[in-house]
Amino acid sequence: MPGQPSRRSNRNTDGGWLIGPTWLYVALAVIIFVAAAAIAVVQATGSDEAPDTGPVDSDSMAELQQAQTAVEESEATVTDTADTEPTVAQQQEIQVQNSAPQEQELTETQSQDQAQPAQQAQTADAQSSQQSNPLLGFQRPIAGACITEHEGHLPNATRAYRNNGVHEGLDFYQWASCTLIDYGTPILAAKAGVISRADLDYVDITPADWERFQANNWEGEEILDELRGRQVWIDHGRGIVTRYAHLSAIADGIAAGVEVRQGQIIGYPGESGQQEVYQDAVDIHLHFEIRIADGWLGQGETPQQARKLYLEAFGLAGE
């Protein structure tokens, strides 16, 4: 009717492409969105798994093996280094062991350095004492010989054949002197000095000489000197002379006026001046004297007291 609005139908009368109601298209869009979301979830979950890359060619396989071998060798090297490298505790122990000998050597060096002044002082004192006392600083005229305790071999022992005189020196016999003494045993200068006598042209005594000694009752310095046989004397200065008697021979180069050092060979033992030289017997020994001006060491003392003086002269006090 004119003046009344017309009733519209549900169809699209504009001639557009949509067919049907609008809600149908909305529902279709929701379904498509849900399906797309589901596919996205599935793809995201499947990406954590290793993709199938297909078969590996031989070159790639060789490179892979070389890489794996290099990794294993590197791991082995690290393991060996860990096994051979010392720990901190071991390093400290090695340092202690290495430092111990150095510390010991240092300690010994310090001890030696400290001992040297004392030793030097002792040596200086000994030298000063020897210089102030000329009866010290001698050495034994036969190396390794001990000083006999047999009284008949000591100074001041009685000698009936010397007009009831006395022995003026010290005798060294093998059986009483702790060492071998024969014709080849070296006799040594007891101290440095100058040879004042060396009997290079000595002639052995005869039975006639012995009868002459007896006829003169053994008196006189000349007879006593003949009884000492072949001799060497050394002047040490300050009135001190050493005498070496009954020698079988005198060493080469020894003559009056020759300087000798302490310990130098000057002769060899024998029995010159004794009856044995013409009796075809043996009485090998050395008669040794330390003379002081016109007297001898230990003069006026008992034989044992005289022995102590010789021990002091040889630096053997207390033996």
Side-chain angles (χ1 to χ4, degrees):
M1 291 184 65
Q4 292 182 352
S6 60
R7 180 176 295 180
R8 294 180 182 271
S9 65
N10 290 335
R11 289 186 178 184
N12 187 355
T13 59
D14 295 335
W17 59 273
L18 293 176
I19 301 174
T22 302
W23 62 266
L24 181 63
Y25 293 96
V26 173
L28 181 61
V30 171
I31 292 171
I32 293 172
F33 175 78
V34 172
I39 293 171
V41 172
V42 171
Q43 289 178 347
T45 305
S47 63
D48 293 338
E49 297 178 359
D52 185 5
T53 59
V56 180
D57 58 19
S58 59
D59 293 339
S60 299
M61 181 62 72
E63 293 177 357
L64 181 61
Q65 291 176 348
Q66 291 177 355
Q68 183 175 2
T69 301
V71 171
E72 292 175 353
E73 291 177 352
S74 177
E75 292 176 351
T77 302
V78 172
T79 303
D80 292 342
T81 303
D83 292 340
T84 57
E85 184 175 353
T87 63
V88 174
Q90 290 173 338
Q91 291 176 350
Q92 293 176 347
E93 183 178 357
I94 291 173
Q95 291 176 353
V96 171
Q97 292 175 352
N98 291 337
S99 62
Q102 296 176 354
E103 292 177 355
Q104 181 178 1
E105 182 178 355
L106 179 60
T107 301
E108 292 176 353
T109 302
Q110 292 174 346
S111 299
Q112 292 175 357
D113 292 341
Q114 294 173 356
Q116 284 180 354
Q119 293 174 350
Q120 292 173 352
Q122 292 176 355
T123 302
D125 291 344
Q127 291 176 346
S128 176
S129 178
Q130 292 175 11
Q131 291 174 355
S132 62
N133 187 349
L135 295 177
L136 298 178
F138 291 87
Q139 76 168 61
R140 286 162 286 181
I142 294 180
C146 59
I147 308 306
T148 180
E149 296 184 12
H150 183 66
E151 192 159 303
H153 297 169
L154 297 173
N156 301 316
T158 58
R159 288 291 188 269
Y161 62 85
R162 294 181 182 175
N163 194 24
N164 296 322
V166 294
H167 194 221
E168 297 179 0
L170 187 67
D171 284 341
F172 289 88
Y173 283 88
Q174 176 174 310
W175 62 269
S177 299
C178 313
T179 190
L180 174 66
I181 299 177
D182 60 17
Y183 292 121
T185 300
I187 295 174
L188 312 176
K191 211 173 194 181
V194 179
I195 302 295
S196 59
R197 173 176 173 176
D199 294 340
L200 300 177
D201 299 325
Y202 177 79
V203 177
D204 284 326
I205 65 171
T206 65
D209 292 324
W210 198 261
E211 291 177 1
R212 175 170 52 87
F213 301 157
Q214 291 176 324
N216 288 277
N217 199 27
W218 313 97
E219 293 182 1
E221 183 61 32
E222 291 183 2
I223 291 178
L224 181 58
D225 186 69
E226 289 184 76
L227 289 171
R228 294 192 185 103
R230 183 183 284 107
Q231 302 175 63
V232 170
W233 295 5
I234 302 178
D235 188 345
H236 306 287
R238 301 174 67 178
I240 307 300
V241 174
T242 51
R243 294 180 177 177
Y244 310 79
H246 303 309
L247 306 185
S248 62
I250 294 175
D252 293 340
I254 299 301
V258 173
E259 293 186 7
V260 293
R261 64 185 182 278
Q262 186 175 46
Q264 182 174 338
I265 299 175
I266 60 171
Y268 303 91
E271 58 269 298
S272 58
Q274 305 296 299
Q275 286 180 293
E276 284 77 8
V277 296
Y278 62 81
Q279 291 180 341
D280 196 22
V282 176
D283 188 34
I284 302 171
H285 70 287
L286 169 67
H287 174 86
F288 174 77
E289 299 177 6
I290 296 179
R291 306 293 299 190
I292 307 172
D294 294 331
W296 62 88
L297 183 63
Q299 185 174 6
E301 305 286 350
T302 66
Q304 294 302 328
Q305 288 173 332
R307 178 178 182 271
K308 291 181 179 180
L309 293 176
Y310 269 93
L311 289 173
E312 291 178 2
F314 293 137
L316 302 174
E319 292 191 7

